[in-house]
Amino acid sequence: MAAQDFNILLATDSYKITHYKQYPPNVSKVYSYFECRRKRGGTQFSEIVFFGLQYLLKKYLSGRVITEEKIQEAKVFYQMHFRQTVFDEEGWRKVLEKYDGRLPIRIKAVPEGKIIPRGNVLFTVENTDPDFFWLTNYIETMLVQMWYPISVATISREFKKILAKHLKATSGSLEGLDFKLHDFGYRGVSSQESAALGGAAHLVNFCSTDTVAGLLMAQRYYGCPMAGFSMPAAEHSTIISWGRSREKEAFESMLDQFPTGPVSVVSDSYDIFKACRHIWGDKLKERVIERSEDSCLIIRPDSGDPAETLIEVIKILEECFGCSLNSQGFKVLPSYLRIIQGDGIDLNSVDEILEKLSDEGWSAENVFFGCGSALLQKLNRDTLNCAFKCSYVEINGKGMDVYKQPVTDPSKGSKRGLLSLRRNSDDFIETVERGVGKPEEDMLVIVFENGSIVQEYTLEEIRKNARLLEDYIAPSQHNQDEPKSLELHQKHIMNGVH
Amino acid sequence: VPLGSPVTHYKQYPPNTTKVYSYFECRAKKTESTKIQKVKYDKTVFYGLQYILHKYLKGKVVTPQKITEAKEVYREHFQDDVFNEKGWEYILEKYDGHLPIEIKAVPEGSVIPRGNVLFTVESTDPECYWLTNWVETILVQIWYPITVATNSREQKKILARYLLETSGNQDKLEYKLHDFGYRGVSSQETAGIGASAHLVNFKGTDTVAGICVIKKYYGTKDPVPGFSVPAAEHSTITAWGKDHERDAFEHIVRQFPNVPVSIVSDSYDIYNACEKIWGEDLRSLIESRSADAPLVIRPDSGDPLDTVLKVLEILGRKFCTTENSKGYKVLPPYIRVIQGDGVDINTLQEIVAGMKKHRWSIENVGFGSGGALLQKLTRDLLSCCFKCSFVVTNGLGLNVFKDPVADPNKRSKKGRLSLHRTPTGDFVTLEEGKGSLEENGPDLLHTVFRNGVILKTYTFDEVRDNAKIRDCDLEESVD
């Protein structure tokens, strides 16, 4: 059931209040779609993870979303906001009377978690009753916010590809991959709600997080009792509160308080290198060595150049604790000792750091990563060019394919007509326009109709849909004559270009 | 009670710690970063604390059910019993679930130079020393309304300067940057907070949620703090079909005869729309509109500056221009332009500078901004952070700080802090409790929250007044 005090009439761009007066006369259907457009000049993110629609449907769109009180509240509000009467009171009252406040809308969507190439339809929206043609684009504002969970899930998965590549290459296996990127983004995100949504999107790909709101969201909206895990960890205040001369006591206390299970200790409050060499590597060395693999100490640097700091730290730790070689011939620290780098991490720096580590002979097993704003905040609607556009209308009972095609920017051109999504004979996903798609091939599924959610997904299913495929893990195994590379894949997609 | 890693911190402070005192600032950058920023952001607008206090921290925030729920969640999450159940039960019993912390803050809307304390947080009960940093995660999210309000205000300064320079006055300045960001933010809640922050400086918005936040958490003497006008979107034009763009334009213009109406005109060819449809086919319809109800043409693609200049050039030809008192060209009052695509603080500067260079007054245009206004911002832009600076352990107060060898920018302040005005009118943060000395004058930080009660609130009118642009803010010359 949608939230009681949320007023959907106030959850749209102001100008949309005035659109019911702007459509052509006798329009009876407005059909729109959402995509992550392709940009010319090659794309960094060539495929996306579809995620987050179920949250919006459950929280804001399903059930009885219109009441007389809400209509009145909106009417009074818009009168003052526009300084004139323009709100379509009658139109909304009809929704109330005819459908008991439920939205006469149909939404068809790709199953959540599915990986779809850019430039394809991801969901479509249409009114199911001719009186409510204006409703389709009224809810655009809210639905376009899908850009966020899609983008976080996509970026998070791109991290996973990089981590998988290095882990496989330097250790021969993918063990522990799901814990390699820890969500540190709670404080750096713009609101509690975004933390929940972004946090949950990261959990499509990983299991480690400190963004508790994401866990709760996954529980309430995607049926997963516990989607992610964490470990006791220090922050600067719990170290510096001991005083500058007592950093060793602060560290030791951490080991005492948390004798079992992994524990992470931020070590750069004053001097990360001295802390590693003299405190961890000397004064507390015995205490560190007695910890088991399941209770490892994870040292956290938090300043300086991310790659250089990490290399220097790992070299100091090698001097103090030694290391061994794994089956691939790369160096691994003793199992009771690991490092987590949680400062300055983004897609570029992660790749760079693991590359440098590998050059120096170190396995990716040694390091975990924490990511904050780059995972949950440093994204916007342009990251994946997310857009919602009208592609088909019916006027006087006749259907018409519509589109925009600005001469000033061809990449902003939109798709035409009724759309469907299918796998073609070469096994590539493509969008079929102009209503010529075959229903039995359509990957889009009705998820919402007339106020009810008719198809749901659990996080478990979503995680399965979004898992990494072999292709990405060992790209060096591609043969030139095997046409499975992503570039070739792109050429077969006949959409986004008119 | 959903907060992250602070869960285990109660076990990590030194034994016999009875107070933890922390503060929030937008750190100044002492060293030059590798990326030279065009905009300096020397001062920040303090805004948004009242929302957090009202929504998340005041009153009874702990109940037995919440403690039980949290305990279960954290047991699964950490695969261990690390949750401080006793600590929270103490708060429930002794304070009826109210938070025993005290927050002192600068008045909302205050414009304060970087590197100064903006608010402090301390525990008021020796048993609850750990609570100070428990609330850190939620309080640090104030970075967002601060950053939106600050970035919005910097854009207001740019617009004010160029408007003054090219027209001699600042009429309608508050409507020159319209919030288009509702769909481009990460959630409904973010939309409300961010849009309200923009309204600290401006009055035009389409992000309705922002007005709701202001009404609920701040209050204004006027019925609403933000306004909008009827406007088209692509679907209301394209639904007519490619060959009927003129019919769409005409229909919409006729629907709204007495108020400004904005019509997106680039669905197929913005230049043809301006030249042929607006400039010829519908010209007399437009000319009959009053100055209070102009047609506002909206391009929405192409290079922002080039497009604006070309559109102005075409409209200038078709509708004639007059020269204002400053010698800049103005279109007739019944026609204006709004650029709402690709507008951020840098392109805004480029467009107004480009217009001035081509002798166009800024009176001719308005701007809309979406992602750049409300989403394309991070905590790093103003280096917002929360750090512990003072603790009491074994009855002794200790000034604490971090000072990482690899980054002097990350050094934190020490001891009890206060904010003062110097004799010359500047701001200074005094550390190590020095601010309590008489000679330093009053502390500008006021207690706003103590033990679950909000003690001081600000109306949105006060916030706007504190953040307003003064003449000295416009002193930077216009090139």
Side-chain angles (χ1 to χ4, degrees):
Chain A
M1 270 320 277
Q4 296 286 45
D5 54 353
F6 176 78
N7 189 343
I8 198 171
L9 300 175
L10 299 177
T12 194
D13 291 293
S14 308
Y15 74 156
K16 285 177 178 287
I17 301 305
T18 70
H19 290 170
Y20 72 105
K21 291 193 174 197
Q22 299 181 23
Y23 285 105
N26 305 318
V27 66
S28 57
K29 184 183 273 289
V30 170
Y31 171 105
S32 299
Y33 76 97
F34 178 98
E35 67 166 317
C36 298
R37 286 194 307 247
R38 279 194 303 169
K39 270 283 210 209
R40 57 194 158 182
T43 24
Q44 185 184 4
F45 306 114
S46 55
E47 57 185 19
I48 62 94
V49 180
F50 186 71
F51 175 71
L53 183 58
Q54 191 160 297
Y55 167 74
L56 289 180
L57 297 177
K58 286 189 171 192
K59 183 148 191 194
Y60 297 119
L61 294 171
S62 64
R64 190 165 191 263
V65 295
I66 312 299
T67 63
E68 186 56 42
E69 294 76 27
K70 292 183 182 182
I71 294 178
Q72 287 311 312
E73 185 188 5
K75 178 182 171 180
V76 168
F77 176 85
Y78 286 121
Q79 179 76 34
M80 297 186 295
H81 181 56
F82 281 101
R83 292 186 266 222
Q84 59 162 338
T85 305
V86 73
F87 175 63
D88 184 16
E89 185 182 351
E90 278 321 300
W92 284 105
R93 192 160 290 115
K94 258 200 212 158
V95 177
L96 188 56
E97 286 159 5
K98 211 165 167 186
Y99 293 97
D100 193 30
R102 302 165 75 89
L103 299 175
I105 286 284
R106 178 183 306 119
I107 300 177
K108 295 178 71 168
V110 131
E112 296 217 19
K114 281 273 187 225
I115 309 304
I116 309 290
R118 291 280 284 280
N120 276 299
V121 60
L122 298 173
F123 64 89
T124 63
V125 185
E126 61 191 298
N127 54 304
T128 56
D129 180 321
D131 284 345
F132 305 105
F133 61 88
W134 48 268
L135 195 47
T136 305
N137 275 40
Y138 198 98
I139 58 175
E140 168 182 358
T141 314
M142 167 175 297
L143 289 172
V144 169
Q145 285 185 358
M146 277 292 294
W147 77 263
Y148 181 63
I150 287 175
S151 301
V152 174
T154 299
I155 302 293
S156 167
R157 191 169 180 272
E158 292 297 313
F159 269 108
K160 198 170 183 181
K161 290 180 188 174
I162 293 169
L163 289 159
K165 175 181 82 175
H166 288 282
L167 196 56
K168 190 84 196 261
T170 61
S171 80
S173 96
L174 292 178
E175 202 182 303
L177 174 63
D178 288 355
F179 293 89
K180 280 295 190 191
L181 184 65
H182 202 96
D183 176 352
F184 279 1
Y186 207 157
R187 75 193 57 180
V189 90
S190 47
S191 68
Q192 291 291 310
E193 188 182 7
S194 294
L197 199 39
H202 174 64
L203 293 171
V204 167
N205 307 295
F206 290 90
C207 288
S208 46
T209 183
D210 263 39
T211 303
V212 179
L215 302 172
L216 299 174
M217 204 222 129
Q219 193 183 81
R220 282 173 199 154
Y221 295 94
Y222 286 95
C224 183
M226 181 48 61
F229 305 94
S230 187
M231 72 194 80
E235 66 171 28
H236 288 101
S237 82
T238 63
I239 303 298
I240 68 180
S241 53
W242 292 72
R244 184 163 194 161
S245 57
R246 299 179 71 216
E247 196 180 17
K248 168 196 165 265
E249 280 78 3
F251 284 5
E252 191 165 22
S253 167
M254 285 298 294
L255 299 178
D256 291 334
Q257 290 293 332
F258 306 105
T260 57
V263 62
S264 154
V265 184
V266 66
S267 304
D268 79 320
S269 300
Y270 313 108
D271 187 329
I272 174 74
F273 309 116
K274 286 188 178 153
C276 289
R277 189 183 291 286
H278 301 301
I279 309 181
W280 295 123
D282 181 18
K283 295 189 183 135
L284 294 177
K285 186 173 168 182
E286 293 304 312
R287 298 295 314 275
V288 177
I289 289 176
E290 75 193 11
R291 293 182 79 93
S292 70
E293 181 179 344
D294 297 323
S295 307
C296 63
L297 165 69
I298 307 179
I299 292 175
R300 180 161 77 91
D302 196 43
S303 49
D305 175 81
E308 285 168 28
T309 308
L310 195 53
I311 302 274
E312 204 177 329
V313 162
I314 210 170
K315 281 183 176 163
I316 293 170
L317 295 176
E318 180 187 16
E319 277 178 47
C320 300
F321 294 92
C323 68
S324 57
L325 290 183
N326 66 19
S327 61
Q328 304 295 304
F330 285 88
K331 291 189 283 190
V332 191
L333 290 169
S335 60
Y336 49 75
L337 189 59
R338 290 288 179 265
I339 306 172
I340 182 165
Q341 174 59 279
D343 180 53
I345 296 302
D346 58 32
L347 288 169
N348 292 323
S349 63
V350 152
D351 203 16
E352 209 182 287
I353 288 169
L354 291 172
E355 201 65 52
K356 282 190 178 161
L357 274 180
S358 160
D359 288 344
E360 302 267 341
W362 291 99
S363 167
E365 293 162 277
N366 292 295
V367 197
F368 294 89
F369 294 92
C371 191
S373 66
L375 189 65
L376 300 191
Q377 182 60 28
K378 223 172 189 167
L379 316 141
N380 56 75
R381 192 164 69 94
D382 294 330
T383 304
L384 300 177
N385 297 109
C386 299
F388 184 96
K389 289 289 167 280
C390 176
S391 64
Y392 173 85
V393 296
E394 277 171 12
I395 301 176
N396 288 317
K398 240 183 83 180
M400 177 167 60
D401 297 348
V402 297
Y403 59 95
K404 63 181 271 197
Q405 187 70 62
V407 72
T408 26
D409 191 352
S411 77
K412 280 189 162 192
S414 59
K415 300 189 193 301
R416 306 173 193 201
L418 299 170
L419 308 173
S420 57
L421 189 69
R422 72 169 192 146
R423 260 190 202 283
N424 66 16
S425 50
D426 293 318
D427 204 37
F428 296 125
I429 294 173
E430 65 184 12
T431 297
V432 184
E433 301 183 40
R434 305 187 204 251
V436 300
K438 297 186 195 140
E440 64 271 16
E441 290 183 341
D442 194 2
M443 289 169 69
L444 300 177
V445 166
I446 300 179
V447 290
F448 178 93
E449 194 156 38
N450 298 335
S452 299
I453 297 175
V454 298
Q455 177 71 245
E456 283 192 38
Y457 303 93
T458 62
L459 188 65
E460 201 185 320
E461 290 170 287
I462 293 170
R463 279 172 157 167
K464 192 154 170 252
N465 285 338
R467 72 194 182 284
L468 291 186
L469 305 172
E470 273 304 309
D471 295 29
Y472 305 120
I473 294 163
S476 56
Q477 287 173 8
H478 278 268
N479 296 326
Q480 276 74 359
D481 48 344
E482 262 280 311
K484 276 261 172 129
S485 67
L486 207 48
E487 295 74 11
L488 208 53
H489 173 124
Q490 296 288 8
K491 289 190 192 132
H492 286 75
I493 298 168
M494 302 173 304
N495 54 63
V497 179
H498 292 281
Chain B
V1 197
L3 298 156
S5 56
V7 179
T8 67
H9 290 166
Y10 71 103
K11 289 190 176 195
Q12 301 179 21
Y13 288 101
N16 307 316
T17 296
T18 51
K19 183 184 275 288
V20 172
Y21 172 107
S22 300
Y23 75 98
F24 177 96
E25 67 167 318
C26 298
R27 284 194 309 248
K29 285 275 195 198
K30 297 182 195 74
T31 58
E32 274 294 305
S33 63
T34 47
K35 260 189 306 172
I36 308 295
Q37 250 186 331
K38 290 181 195 174
V39 184
K40 292 269 185 259
Y41 301 111
D42 287 336
K43 299 181 185 170
T44 64
V45 178
F46 185 72
Y47 170 70
L49 181 60
Q50 196 157 297
Y51 169 84
I52 296 173
L53 297 178
H54 269 287
K55 184 146 190 193
Y56 295 114
L57 297 180
K58 78 166 188 221
K60 186 171 180 167
V61 296
V62 190
T63 64
Q65 295 90 335
K66 288 185 180 179
I67 293 179
T68 309
E69 185 192 356
K71 185 177 166 185
E72 278 159 23
V73 168
Y74 288 122
R75 180 184 294 133
E76 284 307 307
H77 183 54
F78 285 97
Q79 295 284 294
D80 197 2
D81 272 314
V82 288
F83 175 62
N84 186 9
E85 188 178 0
K86 286 206 163 39
W88 284 105
E89 272 168 359
Y90 176 84
I91 291 174
L92 187 58
E93 280 159 27
K94 188 161 181 198
Y95 296 96
D96 191 29
H98 290 61
L99 297 176
I101 54 172
E102 176 169 337
I103 300 176
K104 297 178 72 166
V106 122
E108 296 224 15
S110 297
V111 180
I112 311 286
R114 295 276 288 276
N116 278 299
V117 60
L118 296 174
F119 68 87
T120 63
V121 185
E122 62 190 291
S123 46
T124 59
D125 182 318
E127 292 295 318
C128 303
Y129 61 89
W130 50 271
L131 196 51
T132 307
N133 275 48
W134 179 283
V135 296
E136 169 180 354
T137 318
I138 204 159
L139 286 170
V140 171
Q141 283 187 352
I142 200 179
W143 78 263
Y144 178 64
I146 287 177
T147 306
V148 173
T150 300
N151 187 49
S152 161
R153 188 173 180 276
E154 288 300 312
Q155 290 176 89
K156 191 176 185 182
K157 282 157 72 174
I158 294 169
L159 285 161
R161 279 183 214 126
Y162 280 85
L163 188 56
L164 196 56
E165 181 81 10
T166 62
S167 76
N169 62 60
Q170 292 180 54
D171 291 352
K172 301 193 185 132
L173 171 64
E174 286 167 327
Y175 294 93
K176 286 290 184 193
L177 184 60
H178 201 97
D179 178 349
F180 278 4
Y182 206 160
R183 73 193 63 178
V185 290
S186 45
S187 66
Q188 291 291 324
E189 187 181 10
T190 294
I193 300 169
S196 74
H198 175 63
L199 290 172
V200 169
N201 310 293
F202 289 90
K203 289 189 171 166
T205 185
D206 261 41
T207 305
V208 179
I211 298 175
C212 304
V213 163
I214 293 168
K215 287 175 92 161
K216 193 165 178 185
Y217 299 99
Y218 288 88
T220 50
K221 64 181 192 306
D222 295 329
V224 283
F227 305 93
S228 188
V229 297
E233 67 173 28
H234 288 102
S235 83
T236 62
I237 306 296
T238 62
W240 292 73
K242 179 159 194 192
D243 301 324
H244 296 273
E245 194 181 18
R246 180 227 146 111
D247 296 324
F249 284 4
E250 182 170 2
H251 175 87
I252 298 169
V253 161
R254 285 191 191 282
Q255 287 292 319
F256 305 102
N258 302 314
V259 284
V261 63
S262 154
I263 310 250
V264 66
S265 303
D266 79 320
S267 299
Y268 312 109
D269 184 340
I270 176 72
Y271 305 125
N272 176 69
C274 291
E275 181 101 40
K276 290 274 159 5
I277 310 182
W278 296 123
E280 287 167 25
D281 302 340
L282 298 175
R283 183 150 139 228
S284 49
L285 188 59
I286 306 313
E287 284 171 343
S288 65
R289 295 182 74 91
S290 79
D292 294 325
L295 162 71
V296 185
I297 292 176
R298 179 161 78 89
D300 196 48
S301 50
D303 175 78
L305 174 59
D306 293 343
T307 309
V308 166
L309 289 177
K310 197 164 170 189
V311 162
L312 287 172
E313 185 265 324
I314 294 171
L315 296 177
R317 262 191 299 111
K318 292 307 213 185
F319 291 89
C320 298
T321 58
T322 54
E323 207 177 86
N324 66 20
S325 61
K326 290 286 195 176
Y328 289 86
K329 293 179 285 187
V330 192
L331 291 169
Y334 49 74
I335 191 160
R336 290 287 179 264
V337 174
I338 182 166
Q339 173 65 23
D341 176 57
V343 175
D344 62 34
I345 194 167
N346 295 314
T347 56
L348 180 70
Q349 167 75 38
E350 281 166 27
I351 295 169
V352 293
M355 280 178 65
K356 178 172 185 256
K357 189 170 160 202
H358 286 83
R359 309 302 300 177
W360 288 102
S361 168
I362 307 307
E363 295 165 275
N364 292 295
V365 301
F367 295 90
S369 186
L373 192 70
L374 301 189
Q375 181 62 29
K376 275 180 190 170
L377 307 158
T378 65
R379 190 166 70 95
D380 295 330
L381 187 68
L382 302 178
S383 303
C384 300
C385 72
F386 187 95
K387 287 290 167 279
C388 178
S389 63
F390 178 80
V391 296
V392 176
T393 305
N394 291 314
L396 289 175
L398 181 65
N399 298 333
V400 298
F401 59 97
K402 63 182 271 196
D403 191 4
V405 69
D407 195 350
N409 283 322
K410 282 193 167 189
R411 180 163 59 79
S412 60
K413 299 189 192 304
K414 304 178 188 180
R416 290 185 158 283
L417 309 173
S418 51
L419 185 68
H420 304 263
R421 274 220 186 257
T422 67
T424 49
D426 295 322
F427 290 91
V428 67
T429 293
L430 296 179
E431 302 183 37
E432 302 181 270
K434 290 181 182 140
S436 55
L437 300 171
E438 281 276 328
E439 66 235 36
N440 291 310
D443 183 4
L444 300 175
L445 302 179
H446 302 275
T447 302
V448 289
F449 179 96
R450 190 192 294 126
N451 297 346
V453 179
I454 296 179
L455 297 172
K456 181 144 180 63
T457 56
Y458 301 90
T459 64
F460 204 67
D461 302 306
E462 288 171 295
V463 175
R464 279 177 155 167
D465 193 54
N466 286 335
K468 66 179 182 286
I469 310 262
R470 288 151 228 274
D471 289 335
C472 55
D473 293 314
L474 302 181
E475 253 146 46
E476 238 176 83
S477 67
V478 162
D479 286 330

